[in-house]
């Protein structure tokens, strides 16, 4: 099975959906933030390993605690995944914190600041000269 085959893409989507359900509804660990979402999943073609990119809304402490909680619940998550999805092999899951949403918000704020500065400069240049 090739990495970008239709079958692999469907498996990635299904694993992502089921992981999100498990994290949202079945894990009772208080360290895991309720604002946790599964952004993307990449299952290896041999179905032995899986990378799951997780986004956590909150500060750095919430991200760290959520990652620790997910790592400690990895066995439970894998067992639930095997129960729900019938795959030849149940992949070992590696959780990675995805900061692309935070990066996008940060860049958006910076762009807004630059636009505001540019508007201020253009207003100052267009003001009539009061020295006359």
């Amino acid at each position: 099975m090739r990495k970008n085959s239709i079958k692999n893409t469907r498996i990635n989507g299904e694993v992502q959906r089921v992981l999100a359900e498990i994290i949202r509804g079945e894990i009772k660990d208080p360290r895991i933030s309720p604002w946790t979402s599964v952004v993307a999943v990449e299952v290896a073609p041999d179905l032995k390993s899986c990378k799951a990119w997780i986004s956590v809304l909150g500060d750095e402490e919430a991200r760290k605690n959520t990652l620790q909680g997910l790592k400690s619940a990895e066995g439970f998550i894998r067992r639930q995944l095997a129960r729900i999805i019938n795959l030849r092999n149940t992949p070992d899951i590696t959780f990675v914190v995805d900061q692309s949403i935070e990066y996008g918000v940060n860049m958006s704020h910076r762009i807004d600041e630059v636009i505001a500065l540019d508007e201020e400069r253009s207003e100052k240049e267009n003001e009539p000269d009061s020295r006359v």
Side-chain angles (χ1 to χ4, degrees), residues 76-93:
F76 172 77
I77 294 170
R78 190 167 183 232
R79 188 168 51 251
Q80 293 299 93
L81 192 65
R83 186 179 59 81
I84 296 170
I85 300 177
N86 186 18
L87 293 173
R88 184 171 6 114
N89 297 318
T90 303
D92 289 325
I93 304 166

Side-chain angles (χ1 to χ4, degrees), residues 48-91:
K48 300 272 185 184
S49 63
C50 166
K51 265 189 180 178
W53 283 270
I54 305 297
S55 176
V56 180
L57 187 65
D59 59 351
E60 188 62 36
E61 186 71 23
R63 277 188 223 103
K64 189 175 77 168
N65 288 338
T66 299
L67 199 57
Q68 287 176 348
L70 288 173
K71 284 183 180 177
S72 70
E74 197 171 309
F76 172 77
I77 294 170
R78 190 167 183 232
R79 188 168 51 251
Q80 293 299 93
L81 192 65
R83 186 179 59 81
I84 296 170
I85 300 177
N86 186 18
L87 293 173
R88 184 171 6 114
N89 297 318
T90 303

Side-chain angles (χ1 to χ4, degrees), residues 1-9 11 43-47 88:
M1 180 170 63
R2 293 186 327 264
K3 186 173 183 176
N4 294 327
S5 69
I6 293 172
K7 181 178 179 183
N8 194 277
T9 304
I11 289 172
V43 180
D46 63 355
L47 305 175
R88 184 171 6 114

